Amino acid sequence: MMCYSILGPFFPKEAEKKGASNTVIGMIFGCYALFNLLASLVFGKYLVHIGAKFMFVAGMSVSGGVTVLFGVLDQVPEGPMFIAMCFLVRIIDAISFAAAITASSSILAKAFPNNVATVMGSVESFSGLGLVLGPPLGGLLYQSFGYEVPFILLGCIVLLMVPLNMCILPNYESDPGKHSFWKLIILPKVAFISFVITSLSSGFGFLDPTLSLFVLEKFNLPAGYVGLVFLGLALSYAISSPLVGLLSDKMPHLRKWLLVFGNLITAGCYMLLGPAPFLHIKSQLWLLVLILVINGISAGMSLISTFPEILSCAHENGFEEGLSTLGLVSGLFGALWSVGAFVGPTLGGFLYEKIGFEWAAALQGLWALTSGLVMGLFYLLEHSRRRRRSKLQNSLGTEEERTALLPDET
């Protein structure tokens, strides 16, 4: 995750020197999410054919290698050649990252079938830390040693992890499944949860290009302090995720309500980030940081519950229990996250320019509110349907018992 987030502080400035426009720089960032989306679907479908361990190790190897390559791009001549190489390296990195993440989620769910949410929550802690540590560490290394060192150092660390994982990870054999992504996504519950995942991912993505500009403009903070504002969101998410995962595994019946109320609280957070003009609340730095901390916890509540909910729904609807289904769920999760990661910053940047941060954040909150309400309504309908079905089965059972007890008239 540090390899992914390290570009933010210094790459745009370096790319500008090489003749890349702001639009092209945005496309270099955006193409990552697009190819990650496509690759996640492909790798999820063919996980069993390729092999989970091989896919993970190969993804790590390629990702580490292209991260090192990114570090030597400043040696490439400026203009079209530099831009083309940036796109090529970034696309390969997105594909290899999708392979590693899809395989890792499947391996973890296979290795810990009774603690899926706890394990996913623990992994999300490190994802959050990687995202938040990448920019400050990258900026520090860039200032101290120049453009090459941040990429080469992180790329080498990833490559050192490869032999370690080759020794530690078990081999899981499984038969290819007969189900497809289409059969998974058309399940109503999965479709609604997909909307939730995209909404949450978009919310995180929205903050990337907009929050730093808003904080600099509104509170006149030095550029170095902007990263500390983001720290509130990342640390609260990293700390709360494993706790939410543990709660979700210990009390699975709470999972659906963690998902719903997490979304509703997230919606409220985005409304208060600006705050939205219709609330008539004065914007203050302490309030902004507090809202980001709450947002990190509420996003963790929703997000950690989504993977096990999709998995249990797939099993309830006839999907086999094995790597093939885990691959489909992991691939779908990765693809949906990439959709939000692409839509969030793109739409966020556009709305920020047109209507300002306060209204743009409120619209992002409206998305989270809609997904939370739709999910809550679905769960209520599902609960009432199950109650009616159990009552009907009980009454039928009583009728059968009564008929069996009646004396034979003949």
Side-chain angles (χ1 to χ4, degrees), residues 21 24 67 102 129 139 148 157 162 212 217 229 234 280 286 323 361 392 398 400 405 409:
S21 66
V24 169
T67 301
T102 303
L129 284 173
E148 295 92 349
I157 291 171
V162 172
S212 57
E217 183 185 305
V229 174
H280 304 292
W286 70 266
L323 265 183
L392 184 65
T398 311
E400 283 173 8
L405 289 169
E409 288 181 11

Side-chain angles (χ1 to χ4, degrees), residues 69-251:
L69 276 179
F70 217 98
V72 297
L73 284 182
D74 63 331
Q75 308 296 325
V76 176
E78 64 181 58
M81 175 65 79
F82 173 78
I83 292 167
M85 288 303 295
C86 283
F87 273 113
L88 181 64
V89 172
R90 195 80 172 137
I91 287 166
I92 295 169
D93 195 18
I95 293 167
S96 58
F97 183 79
I101 291 295
T102 303
S104 68
S105 301
S106 303
I107 290 167
L108 288 169
K110 179 74 176 172
F112 306 98
N114 300 318
N115 304 95
V116 174
T118 307
V119 173
M120 292 299 171
S122 303
V123 172
E124 281 301 311
S125 293
F126 292 98
S127 296
L129 284 173
L131 281 174
V132 77
L133 290 174
L137 182 68
L140 180 69
L141 290 170
Y142 173 75
Q143 282 181 344
S144 306
F145 304 105
Y147 176 82
E148 295 92 349
V149 171
F151 294 106
I152 293 171
L153 178 66
L154 278 181
C156 288
I157 291 171
V158 172
L159 289 172
L160 285 172
M161 292 295 106
V162 172
L164 183 68
N165 280 287
M166 286 173 77
C167 296
I168 290 173
L169 290 183
N171 274 313
Y172 290 115
E173 299 297 329
S174 184
D175 296 323
K178 58 182 185 294
H179 296 287
S180 64
F181 277 110
W182 180 245
K183 284 182 181 175
L184 185 63
I185 198 81
I186 59 170
L187 296 172
K189 187 175 180 178
V190 175
F192 290 135
I193 294 174
S194 299
F195 187 53
V196 168
I197 295 168
T198 311
S199 154
L200 291 166
S201 170
S202 165
F204 281 136
F206 162 80
L207 296 174
D208 282 340
T210 58
L211 185 62
S212 57
L213 295 172
F214 174 71
V215 169
L216 288 167
E217 183 185 305
K218 195 83 176 177
F219 305 109
N220 297 316
L221 281 181
Y225 285 94
V226 176
L228 295 177
V229 174
F230 277 97
L231 201 62
L233 174 70
L235 282 181
S236 62
Y237 179 72
I239 293 166
S240 66
S241 291
L243 299 175
V244 170
L246 189 63
L247 182 66
S248 175
D249 281 330
K250 295 289 182 189
M251 291 181 269

Side-chain angles (χ1 to χ4, degrees), residues 321-386:
E321 294 194 19
L323 265 183
S324 59
T325 301
L326 289 171
L328 288 177
V329 174
S330 301
L332 180 66
F333 186 92
L336 293 167
W337 187 265
S338 296
V339 170
F342 180 73
V343 172
T346 310
L347 193 61
F350 173 76
L351 290 172
Y352 182 88
E353 279 183 13
K354 298 295 178 188
I355 57 175
F357 180 82
E358 292 88 344
W359 281 112
L363 285 176
Q364 187 64 51
L366 186 63
W367 188 351
L369 179 66
T370 307
S371 64
L373 290 174
V374 167
M375 205 70 235
L377 185 62
F378 174 82
Y379 280 131
L380 288 171
L381 289 170
E382 185 184 53
H383 180 66
S384 65
R385 201 182 302 122
R386 280 180 177 170

Side-chain angles (χ1 to χ4, degrees), residues 1-25:
M1 295 309 289
M2 287 174 74
C3 293
Y4 170 75
S5 65
I6 198 173
L7 274 72
F10 59 89
F11 177 74
K13 188 172 73 174
E14 288 289 329
E16 271 185 355
K17 288 183 197 171
K18 293 282 193 176
S21 66
N22 284 332
T23 307
V24 169
I25 293 167

